[in-house]
Amino acid sequence: MISFIEKQFPVSKVSKESYKERKANNGQTLTGLGKWWGRKPLVLVRAAILGCLMPASGNPKKDMDIFLKVMSMDNRGLELRKDKSFTVAEMYEIAVKSKKLRAHIDAWFDITDDKIKLNNRVKKKDIELIIFNTMGYDEKLVKCIRPEQLKNLDEQAWNEINHHLGTSAKNLQDLVEQLSIKRFGRNVVVGDCFCGGGSIPFEAARMGCDTYASDLNPVAGLLTWAAINICGASKEELEEIKKFQKDVFDRVDKEITKLGIEHNEHGDRAVSYLYCVEAHCPECGKKVPLSPSWIIGKGTKTIAKLIDNREGYDIIVKMGANSAEMKEAEKTGTIKNSELVCPTCGKTTPISSLRRDRRDESGNTVYGLRRWEKTESDFREDDIFSERLYAIKYERQDGQRYYRHPNERDLKNEKKVNQIVAENIIAWQEQGLVPSMEIESGMKTDELIRNRGWSHWNHLFNPRQLLTISRFVEFSKECAISRKQKTVAILGINKLVNWNSRLCRWISDGANEKGAETYYNQALNTLFNGLSRGMLSLNTCWFYNINDYEINNNADIKLIDARVVNGTCHFWITDPPYADAVNYHELSEFFLAWDKKLLQETFPEWYTDSKRILAVKGDEHFSQSMIEIYTNLAEHMYDDGMQVVMFTHSDPSVWAQLALIMWKSGLKVTAAWNIATETESGGLKDGNYVKGTVLLVLRKQTGDATAYLDEINVDIKSEVRAQIQSMQDLEDMEEPNFSDPDYVLAAYAASLKVLTAYKKIGELDLDYELDLAIKDPDNSQVVQIIENAKKIAYDCIIPAGFDSILWKDLLPAERFYIKGLEAEKHNNYQISTYQEYARGFSIGSYKQLMANEKANTARLKTPTEFSMRTVGEIADFEKSLLRIVLAAIHIGIKEDGMPEKGLSYVKNQVPDYWGSRDMIKQLLQFLKGTKDIDNMPHWTESADMADHLHILVDNDHI
């Protein structure tokens, strides 16, 4: 039986839904449980599982309608999901901009004294629905809840679904069960051997599937167990869990209050403590507080000022600073480009020199900092670095907040905290209340050792943090009774340590000045200034929203190496590590150091280390590890089962590697789809952070056929064209589902579908090809096959209405611009689209063609934005016919709207004007097509001029 996902997939809509879910941030269903890297959107998982389970019929258009209906992505589903109303002003603005609605403005609205009201004769609800249904999918989503938040479809939808699928379902769980029995004779089993943050097993269980979930990492196992058992807990259990959380928090709060270490002399309580690292300037000997900036809060205009006191610096905190003082505080940071900048002598010192790093006789770097002892929690007096409290954010009893520099009372509180920790840390470590685990050397963890000399995980927490978090651990152990309460405690502690460590940045931007989490990116970054949270700001870490869902608890969750998983599944849906894998094993040890004792008590059958030795790493063993894993999965999959492998690369060489891995594992490709989700850069990343997830659909190899490359090249060409044609036949012109990168991806998949259908390709040595794909992709025949498939695809995806013969005469940069503008006409502003075009048309640089390169708002320059500037970075574009036409449009606009001036420019610049006239007309025809497109108001003026120029050229005769 062929599955829906093997024939088609609503790429555009699933991409938009995935993006909406990702942008929900902490509002996402599972993120509240704890930190994990790279959780896949639940809507993507739901679509993949449904796509595997739902059969493809002989009516593909109806199949798509029904699939969208089940996913609540059809028009009626969006109506049911709509939960936000329009203001009258919004409705009026939409009606004015819409060609379809302008005629109704007078009947719907009354405008008196610039006030817009609805006409008394119409009902707001009715007009709202009419307006909603004329909007594009993106605009509708703004007003809608996510598919997972819709409790159920309406009766009419289920009648249509059941009629087409031969079921009698009343909800999604019914449908999954009935489709499973029709296909497999029992409920479908969905497996994931890289369960990570639990997205795949959770969504499978929520859909009603039986689940098998495993991971090598205990933190991943914990998050997955919690996703199914905590989010699937009964209302009574959730009440008990919330009571347990409150009891623990109240006990910690009571003890901290009793110690008096967070209150000042006025009875005000600290919200946050700001610390900076200090070091002596090697040039003048002055002790310098280190910070890239001395702005504490831009919203409150709070700064820190350094006051020279001969031996070092006093730090004075000032609120309500003027603009000059704010600029000065920004400018006078003492860390610039990884160098200490001494405010006394003005000399700069590289931080590596300050640390006294050196090279030994063999050329290896020897770190200069002293290694801390296991029970230490602070720097020693003779250390190169020290740590200093320089500002405190307090809250008055009336709720008002303010900053001040520490006074004698505050420093006394700090001393008291340090003393308590020093007296108790040995006992706490023995009891498992604070970490005692050593930091193992690794790609990410070496930074901690090199930059601070920290040797154990407890060193990442200052005394105040150790004291507070240890109280949560101790009272959790005392209060937790059930496994679910103990699990909630571990998750809470993990959230506390993620949001309250020496690696937490202070965010000074905006009105809400606050601390960031440790893992704001996939690294362990040491800081020169950070914070410690008081109890007032720890409540949002300890308490977290737990969503309760009806879940199929028939779930088998294991800690086990993926090479030896022993559960047999109908569908394996996996998001494996990649060749440039996140170092989960290293990053998760930050949590495991705190979790060990509690994990042993809660899950005695689990181990509590990260199993570094077994982790799949992006090294020379990556491919072999993946082959072993997927060979095992193929052996533990029913013969009529399927696999969906998610990965994030579009590089043909990586595609070739993955295809060869799957091929060698006994699997064959049947389809591939690209789900694009983009967010703007965050953390340390520069530019745009673009993320797209490829769904590679696979089945078991069942034949032993052998073929030769010269025989199958014709088959590949035919398969690529057939695949693209079938997608084009299904395309919705008003709401396009596929963009050009989707067609290219389909071409990749089509070529692999032909290749992997054979057990052996006569002249191909798969081991040798895999090695080439990794080390020398230019000489890999499989990489070349995939590249050729891309060329076939681009021959098939000529812009609508563009003459195919003229298209072939265009330069690569001209094709890039025209295809980009076509994407914009279809409301596609994803930077990934332009990146794919650049690869497809072999454009090295395209920056000069872009008006905006931000994710989801990327677009090309208009003729007026190009003006007459030289475009020199892109080969041959400056002298191209398209560039001349764009310049002619600009000249026509600039010269008081006189297209004759533009035509004169074209005739002067084009040597063979009459021989090029057909191409000039074609380009102008395409460019004027941007006219009256709702999402392209920036092209209105240029489109009008292109229209006028087209008339002149068309009527021009010798």
Side-chain angles (χ1 to χ4, degrees):
M1 182 187 289
I2 297 174
S3 291
F4 175 84
I5 199 171
E6 295 176 289
K7 299 298 289 182
Q8 56 177 319
F9 201 66
V11 167
S12 176
K13 289 181 172 64
V14 174
S15 295
K16 289 168 180 177
E17 297 283 1
S18 297
Y19 177 73
K20 178 180 175 68
E21 183 179 326
R22 279 164 53 83
K23 290 298 285 182
N25 298 323
N26 292 331
Q28 295 177 73
T29 299
L30 296 183
T31 50
L33 294 178
K35 182 69 182 180
W36 195 257
W37 303 267
R39 277 189 179 101
K40 287 293 178 278
L42 296 173
V43 69
L44 173 59
V45 178
R46 179 177 293 198
I49 293 172
L50 180 63
C52 289
L53 191 57
M54 185 174 138
S57 74
N59 186 343
K61 282 193 177 292
K62 188 63 177 177
D63 286 347
M64 178 62 85
D65 290 343
I66 294 301
F67 184 89
L68 292 174
K69 202 169 285 293
V70 177
M71 293 293 299
S72 71
M73 294 179 187
D74 64 327
N75 288 336
R76 178 56 183 155
L78 289 166
E79 287 179 10
L80 292 171
R81 287 165 51 194
K82 180 181 172 296
D83 74 327
K84 294 183 180 70
S85 294
F86 293 86
T87 64
V88 174
E90 280 179 318
M91 293 163 66
Y92 180 77
E93 187 178 349
I94 294 167
V96 167
K97 290 180 180 178
S98 170
K99 289 185 288 183
K100 296 178 182 177
L101 300 176
R102 283 175 200 154
H104 301 286
I105 289 175
D106 290 339
W108 290 350
F109 301 99
D110 286 330
I111 304 174
T112 309
D113 299 328
D114 293 331
K115 289 184 179 180
I116 303 167
K117 295 181 180 179
L118 269 182
N119 192 309
N120 292 332
R121 296 187 299 275
V122 298
K123 292 182 179 179
K124 185 186 179 196
K125 188 176 179 182
D126 295 340
I127 305 306
E128 219 177 320
L129 193 58
I130 292 170
I131 287 174
F132 181 74
N133 282 321
T134 63
M135 294 166 68
Y137 201 88
D138 303 78
E139 290 89 1
K140 285 181 178 179
L141 284 188
V142 175
K143 298 292 185 181
C144 291
I145 57 175
R146 304 194 299 272
E148 61 174 310
Q149 295 170 307
L150 181 66
K151 293 195 180 298
N152 203 353
L153 305 173
D154 60 15
E155 186 177 351
Q156 183 182 341
W158 283 116
N159 287 339
E160 291 181 46
I161 292 164
N162 290 326
H163 179 73
H164 183 69
L165 296 176
T167 52
S168 57
K170 294 181 179 178
N171 54 49
L172 181 60
Q173 293 76 20
D174 280 353
L175 183 68
V176 166
E177 182 182 11
Q178 291 174 34
L179 289 177
S180 298
I181 291 169
K182 282 166 73 79
R183 184 157 175 183
F184 302 117
R186 57 155 293 182
N187 203 36
V188 66
V189 183
V190 176
D192 178 11
C193 64
F194 302 108
C195 63
S199 292
I200 294 168
F202 169 77
E203 190 59 28
R206 184 163 60 168
M207 292 174 73
C209 309
D210 293 351
T211 52
Y212 178 96
S214 67
D215 203 288
L216 191 64
N217 196 296
V219 178
L222 178 77
L223 289 168
T224 300
W225 192 94
I228 291 174
N229 292 281
I230 304 298
C231 291
S234 67
K235 283 186 168 55
E236 293 76 18
E237 287 175 313
L238 285 178
E239 287 304 314
E240 285 296 318
I241 285 169
K242 288 174 183 175
K243 183 179 182 302
F244 158 75
Q245 288 177 306
K246 187 176 186 308
D247 288 346
V248 172
F249 189 88
D250 288 347
R251 287 185 66 176
V252 176
D253 188 44
K254 186 177 179 181
E255 179 159 326
I256 297 297
T257 302
K258 185 179 177 181
L259 288 171
I261 54 174
E262 287 190 356
H263 289 82
N264 64 20
E265 65 276 13
H266 306 296
D268 301 337
R269 191 163 192 179
V271 178
S272 303
Y273 297 85
L274 275 59
Y275 296 85
C276 66
V277 171
E278 289 190 304
H280 286 93
C281 171
E283 300 293 336
C284 67
K286 185 69 71 74
K287 195 170 190 179
V288 180
L290 304 180
S291 179
S293 162
W294 291 110
I295 290 181
I296 293 174
K298 289 184 178 178
T300 55
K301 294 183 168 51
T302 304
I303 61 170
K305 287 186 173 183
L306 301 187
I307 308 296
D308 194 328
N309 64 9
R310 295 189 179 182
E311 293 181 2
Y313 293 89
D314 295 325
I315 303 179
I316 305 301
V317 172
K318 179 180 180 180
M319 295 185 70
N322 60 40
S323 58
E325 290 173 319
M326 293 292 286
K327 285 179 184 176
E328 183 71 11
E330 182 75 59
K331 191 172 65 176
T332 56
T334 50
I335 291 289
K336 302 290 181 186
N337 301 317
S338 298
E339 291 185 325
L340 179 154
V341 181
C342 182
T344 299
C345 67
K347 299 289 179 62
T348 61
T349 307
I351 297 301
S352 57
S353 298
L354 198 65
R355 294 193 308 252
R356 299 171 193 166
D357 295 347
R358 59 184 177 82
R359 297 218 177 253
D360 63 16
E361 295 175 357
S362 304
N364 299 314
T365 301
V366 178
Y367 305 146
L369 294 179
R370 172 188 74 85
R371 290 284 188 100
W372 285 30
E373 300 293 331
K374 178 173 143 180
T375 57
E376 288 184 286
S377 59
D378 205 354
F379 296 88
R380 292 182 188 168
E381 284 188 14
D382 57 350
D383 279 340
I384 291 169
F385 294 125
S386 59
E387 190 173 63
R388 172 178 181 175
L389 174 66
Y390 72 94
I392 306 170
K393 185 177 188 178
Y394 275 111
E395 181 176 287
R396 295 190 178 97
Q397 293 177 30
D398 62 5
Q400 285 192 318
R401 294 185 172 187
Y402 64 93
Y403 296 93
R404 78 176 193 190
H405 42 267
N407 62 14
E408 189 177 340
R409 166 68 181 263
D410 298 319
L411 295 175
K412 188 177 178 183
N413 283 346
E414 282 293 290
K415 189 174 181 181
K416 183 176 182 180
V417 170
N418 292 353
Q419 187 176 348
I420 292 170
V421 172
E423 290 172 355
N424 290 280
I425 190 164
I426 294 175
W428 288 349
Q429 286 182 327
E430 288 173 352
Q431 295 164 32
L433 303 182
V434 298
S436 58
M437 197 166 101
E438 191 172 358
I439 299 171
E440 255 187 85
S441 176
M443 187 179 293
K444 300 297 180 185
T445 49
D446 276 354
E447 187 174 348
L448 303 170
I449 301 166
R450 176 180 67 249
N451 291 349
R452 292 293 180 271
W454 294 334
S455 61
H456 288 71
W457 287 102
N458 54 294
H459 298 151
L460 277 65
F461 303 86
N462 68 27
R464 187 173 286 279
Q465 291 162 341
L466 288 172
L467 172 60
T468 306
I469 301 172
S470 72
R471 301 303 86 212
F472 277 96
V473 178
E474 182 169 17
F475 295 139
S476 292
K477 286 165 70 77
E478 291 178 8
C479 296
I481 301 168
S482 68
R483 176 177 276 198
K484 288 182 181 179
Q485 288 177 358
K486 290 176 182 177
T487 300
V488 165
I490 301 170
L491 294 174
I493 289 156
N494 285 352
K495 290 195 76 172
L496 290 174
V497 301
N498 185 37
W499 288 90
N500 196 33
S501 78
R502 276 179 161 132
L503 308 188
C504 290
R505 296 172 301 138
W506 178 253
I507 300 173
S508 61
D509 295 337
N512 193 13
E513 297 148 11
K514 59 183 180 179
E517 61 183 321
T518 297
Y519 283 125
Y520 66 97
N521 63 8
Q522 298 165 2
L524 288 158
N525 301 298
T526 55
L527 305 170
F528 289 103
N529 58 351
L531 79 146
S532 179
R533 289 172 175 260
M535 289 295 292
L536 286 175
S537 55
L538 282 178
N539 60 346
T540 55
C541 306
W542 178 251
F543 296 106
Y544 48 93
N545 184 42
I546 302 171
N547 300 289
D548 59 312
Y549 295 98
E550 186 179 329
I551 284 178
N552 179 358
N553 284 306
N554 191 11
D556 190 5
I557 303 168
K558 292 185 175 180
L559 289 190
I560 192 171
D561 186 352
R563 299 167 184 84
V564 294
V565 294
N566 51 14
T568 301
C569 299
H570 297 100
F571 302 147
W572 284 103
I573 316 282
T574 52
D575 177 19
Y578 309 111
D580 55 351
V582 174
N583 290 275
Y584 297 103
H585 47 287
E586 293 183 26
L587 300 180
S588 63
E589 287 169 359
F590 173 82
F591 298 117
L592 287 173
W594 285 90
D595 294 348
K596 269 185 173 296
K597 292 273 182 162
L598 273 170
L599 267 176
Q600 286 167 355
E601 294 172 13
T602 310
F603 297 95
E605 68 276 22
W606 288 5
Y607 50 78
T608 57
D609 67 278
S610 67
K611 298 292 180 187
R612 276 195 186 204
I613 194 69
L614 295 174
V616 178
K617 305 177 185 72
D619 56 19
E620 67 274 15
H621 304 296
F622 173 77
S623 294
Q624 188 54 43
S625 298
M626 292 283 281
I627 290 167
E628 290 171 8
I629 289 166
Y630 280 94
T631 298
N632 185 46
L633 294 191
E635 290 171 356
H636 287 87
M637 180 174 79
Y638 293 103
D639 288 344
D640 55 353
M642 297 171 64
Q643 293 205 34
V644 176
V645 177
M646 301 180 178
F647 69 108
T648 59
H649 288 280
S650 57
D651 184 337
S653 64
V654 179
W655 260 90
Q657 292 170 38
L658 190 67
L660 288 162
I661 286 166
M662 298 303 158
W663 199 355
K664 289 205 68 181
S665 303
L667 296 164
K668 63 180 180 181
V669 175
T670 61
W673 309 103
N674 182 53
I675 307 303
T677 56
E678 302 185 13
T679 56
E680 292 189 36
S681 60
L684 297 181
K685 294 184 176 70
D686 294 323
N688 296 306
Y689 176 48
V690 179
K691 187 147 186 168
T693 296
V694 174
L695 306 185
L696 190 65
V697 185
L698 306 124
R699 284 186 182 264
K700 276 189 179 182
Q701 287 175 3
T702 51
D704 293 316
T706 299
Y708 293 89
L709 279 177
D710 57 349
E711 295 174 343
I712 64 174
N713 277 328
V714 175
D715 292 342
I716 288 174
K717 184 177 286 189
S718 175
E719 184 69 33
V720 169
R721 286 176 174 165
Q723 176 66 49
I724 290 174
Q725 187 62 52
S726 69
M727 292 165 68
Q728 289 175 335
D729 290 345
L730 290 164
E731 187 62 299
D732 181 342
M733 290 299 107
E734 288 194 13
E735 283 280 356
N737 189 47
F738 305 116
S739 61
D740 289 341
D742 299 315
Y743 289 115
V744 172
L745 189 65
Y748 290 174
S751 63
L752 298 180
K753 187 175 178 180
V754 174
L755 278 173
T756 58
Y758 296 99
K759 191 73 175 176
K760 186 180 179 185
I761 303 295
E763 62 267 48
L764 279 187
D765 180 329
L766 295 189
D767 290 318
Y768 178 67
E769 277 295 319
L770 182 54
D771 191 56
L772 274 181
I774 297 167
K775 297 176 181 174
D776 188 14
D778 290 342
N779 289 313
S780 163
Q781 293 186 72
V782 174
V783 173
Q784 288 170 18
I785 287 168
I786 295 172
E787 286 282 13
N788 288 335
K790 178 194 281 188
K791 291 173 184 174
I792 297 166
Y794 273 106
D795 284 341
C796 297
I797 50 178
I798 298 166
F802 212 102
D803 183 271
S804 59
I805 295 172
L806 292 176
W807 177 253
K808 290 176 182 176
D809 290 338
L810 290 173
L811 297 168
E814 291 177 302
R815 291 191 189 187
F816 171 90
Y817 187 91
I818 290 167
K819 289 299 294 182
L821 198 58
E822 184 185 44
E824 193 176 334
K825 286 180 181 180
H826 292 146
N827 206 24
N828 180 351
Y829 293 97
Q830 295 174 330
I831 189 62
S832 57
T833 299
Y834 293 96
Q835 292 173 334
E836 184 57 41
Y837 286 150
R839 284 190 285 266
F841 296 121
S842 301
I843 303 292
S845 172
Y846 56 89
K847 187 173 184 179
Q848 285 186 307
L849 302 181
M850 304 300 293
N852 189 342
E853 291 181 85
K854 289 185 178 181
N856 288 310
T857 57
R859 71 168 179 86
L860 294 158
K861 287 179 180 174
T862 64
T864 52
E865 287 168 331
F866 274 116
S867 184
M868 300 304 290
R869 297 182 187 91
T870 301
V871 182
E873 294 177 6
I874 302 158
D876 301 323
F877 186 78
E878 179 61 24
K879 295 182 179 179
S880 70
L881 200 55
L882 175 61
R883 179 68 187 104
I884 292 169
V885 168
L886 292 170
I889 293 171
H890 166 69
I891 288 168
I893 294 168
K894 186 181 176 185
E895 296 291 336
D896 298 322
M898 296 178 63
E900 295 83 3
K901 298 276 188 179
L903 179 59
S904 176
Y905 177 80
V906 171
K907 288 184 172 182
N908 287 332
Q909 293 295 317
V910 180
D912 182 16
Y913 167 74
W914 296 108
S916 304
R917 187 162 158 268
D918 284 346
M919 180 65 87
I920 294 168
K921 284 168 60 181
Q922 176 70 88
L923 291 172
L924 288 167
Q925 177 75 28
F926 182 80
L927 294 173
K928 76 175 189 175
T930 57
K931 194 174 182 179
D932 293 329
I933 294 177
D934 287 346
N935 61 282
M936 298 182 73
H938 51 286
W939 262 92
T940 301
E941 192 177 33
S942 296
D944 279 336
M945 183 53 64
D947 195 0
H948 294 313
L949 273 169
H950 182 267
I951 293 169
L952 288 181
V953 175
D954 191 36
N955 291 315
D956 200 13
H957 300 288
I958 296 173

